Structures are given as structure tokens and as C-alpha cells.
Amino acid sequence: MTVRRLSAGLVAAALFTPGLAACNSNGTSTAGSTASPTVSASGAPSPSGSPVAGDAKQALLDSTKEISNGNFRFTLAGAGSTAEGQVHQPSQSAAMKIAIGGPSSDLAMKLDVIHFKPDSWVKLELTGPTADSLPAVKQLNLGKYQHLDQTRIKGNRSLGFDFEKVDPAGSAVLTQGITEVRSTGTGTYAGTIDVTKAAEAGSLNAATIAALGTQAKTVPFTAKVDPQGRLSELVLQLPAAGQTAAQEIRMTYSDYGAATAAQKPPANQVVEAPAELYSLFN
């Protein structure tokens, strides 16, 4: 197996770029578990004619506006994979740690990525029996931060970062796809969402969306906003599709306006990235 073929199976399964897969769950959805009134995407009352207090969809659309200011911390979770980090637009910096797979996996990946415009670095760790069998892994598991050539990662959502689009999960795009929503309490919502544009948002890969078929149009979700009306949690409950079990994707946002600048790696911990690294992600 080549490094390129290896990456196709690992990175293409990613929910988050770089690399977060959707997680297994029991498939139980909280959508429909409450008698709260429902509104369509247009804000119309539910078929029962129950009055709706406010526009729940507009509240969720508005909840993502603060994200665009680029000063927050975030987490993403799924399928034994996690990501966490911070975005700090004032300093044009971001940092994130991603883990795909675990100790029992045939192949597991950890990424420690730092962006401090115009530079980017990544520390990579590949483990597991499959990784051990690849000669190229020796050039990748260096235990140091590998400085990235920006001309070679331009447009690469796995290694690059667009400070014009600072939300790793694209929640603004996702909330625009809401097809039904209701308030379930103070600052909490539930409904369905069309995730067919989630690949564009960076939240799901195209293969996962395609496997859902028509179910992609009505994926159950729950959401929470903080006391200031800012999105604090968004959870997608993907239904089972084919051989794929039901999956949950959870993203959270916190520390709005209080994140800090990323820290550049020490010079003695930096090497230039080898060709094998770019091959892995391209």
C-alpha cells in the first residue's frame, strides 16, 4: 500500500478537514421527542396551527454570526475521532489538534496543526500495524513540526486554513439548510436539516452525503445557543445508510471573543515538510 492510497482511506473519511469522521451512535434521535410547536424553514406554523413564539430558524441563523468574527474555541467529535482548537482572527492565527482512530486501530493519525499567517506547521503521528508496514512513515513520524510550503497546500482543506472562512464546520452553511425547526426550551432547538451542502461547509465528506441518498434532505439535529444567542452546540444525527450505522456529529463553540493567539513552534522543533507529507494529503 502506498502513502497516497493510505490517505485515501483515512483522510477521505473525515468529517472535519483535516480529518474527523462521523461517529457511531445508537441512532436514537431527539427530534420529535417534544410537543413544542414546529415551524417550517419559511417560519410557517406547524400543521396543527399552533402559534410559534418567534422565528426559531432565524435565531439559529443569527447564532452563527459571531463565528465569522474569528475569535473562539471549538470541538468536533465522531467515530472515535476528535478535534479541538482555537481561531484567533485578530492575530491571523489558528491551532487545532486532531485524532483519528485509537490504540486498537490498524491505522491511527494524530495531527497538531498551527497556522500563523503566512506560515503553517503540522506535527504528524501515524501509528498501528498498517502504518508500521509503510517505509514512508519514517519520513513523516519525525516528532517535530513540519513547516509547510504554502504554494503546495493552497486550496488543500486538510493542511491549509482560510482566514476568510474561519469556521471549521461551516455552521452558517448548515443552518441555512434547516428544513424544520422548533424551540425545545430556553436556548435549545431541534428539527431537521438538509445536509446536501455540508461538504461545501466542511462538515461532512461527499461520500457520506451520497450514501444517505434522500435521507440527506431531512437529517435530525439539535442545537443550543448561549445566553447571548451565540451557537454553542450543533449535533447532527445521521441515519443508517447501507452498511453504515447511524452516526452522530457533534460540534461546539465557546470562548467567543476570548480566544488567544496560537503559539508558533520553537525553531529547534521545526523541519521542512518532506514530499511524502504532501503526497499523503493530496
Side-chain angles (χ1 to χ4, degrees):
M1 180 183 290
T2 65
V3 170
R4 185 178 296 275
R5 289 178 58 198
L6 165 68
S7 66
L10 183 64
V11 181
L15 151 70
F16 173 59
T17 39
L20 182 66
C23 76
N24 294 326
S25 73
N26 58 17
T28 302
S29 171
T30 57
S33 62
T34 174
S36 298
T38 301
V39 295
S40 68
S42 64
S46 66
S48 65
S50 301
V52 177
D55 187 338
K57 181 177 180 180
Q58 189 60 50
L60 288 177
L61 289 173
D62 292 343
S63 75
T64 67
K65 291 181 178 179
E66 183 66 23
I67 296 174
S68 65
N69 288 330
N71 193 329
F72 58 88
R73 296 191 63 82
F74 67 91
T75 68
L76 295 164
S81 300
T82 61
E84 62 177 341
Q86 64 197 54
V87 177
H88 192 251
Q89 180 74 287
S91 63
Q92 295 276 276
S93 69
M96 54 204 74
K97 295 180 184 294
I98 303 102
I100 307 172
S104 61
S105 302
D106 287 340
L107 178 64
M109 176 187 287
K110 289 184 179 180
L111 294 164
D112 184 348
V113 189
I114 299 173
H115 302 286
F116 211 117
K117 200 171 181 178
D119 292 300
S120 296
W121 303 264
V122 61
K123 182 189 288 186
L124 175 67
E125 181 182 0
L126 289 166
T127 58
T130 299
D132 294 339
S133 68
L134 297 170
V137 169
K138 295 179 180 179
Q139 279 73 51
L140 298 173
N141 286 349
L142 302 176
K144 292 190 175 185
Y145 288 91
Q146 302 178 52
H147 181 253
L148 300 169
D149 180 345
Q150 297 297 308
T151 65
R152 301 179 72 173
I153 64 170
K154 186 176 182 179
N156 187 319
R157 298 175 77 180
S158 294
L159 295 178
F161 190 86
D162 187 349
F163 282 97
E164 298 300 318
K165 300 177 181 178
V166 295
D167 183 6
S171 294
V173 175
L174 287 174
T175 53
Q176 288 169 12
I178 290 173
T179 53
E180 182 181 307
V181 61
R182 62 185 173 278
S183 172
T184 57
T186 302
T188 61
Y189 302 88
T192 57
I193 190 168
D194 180 349
V195 299
T196 54
K197 292 186 178 181
E200 172 189 330
S203 306
L204 290 171
N205 64 70
T208 298
I209 297 170
L212 290 171
T214 57
Q215 295 183 104
K217 296 283 188 178
T218 54
V219 171
F221 81 92
T222 59
K224 296 178 182 179
V225 300
D226 66 14
Q228 288 72 44
R230 303 169 300 194
L231 186 67
S232 59
E233 180 183 85
L234 179 62
V235 181
L236 304 181
Q237 297 283 355
L238 302 185
Q243 300 299 311
T244 304
Q247 304 172 11
E248 178 182 275
I249 298 169
R250 182 182 302 271
M251 51 201 86
T252 70
Y253 299 87
S254 62
D255 290 348
Y256 285 106
T260 56
Q263 297 297 308
K264 297 180 181 180
N268 63 358
Q269 291 296 312
V270 174
V271 296
E272 286 299 319
E276 288 82 0
L277 181 78
Y278 300 105
S279 295
L280 175 64
F281 290 94
N282 288 331

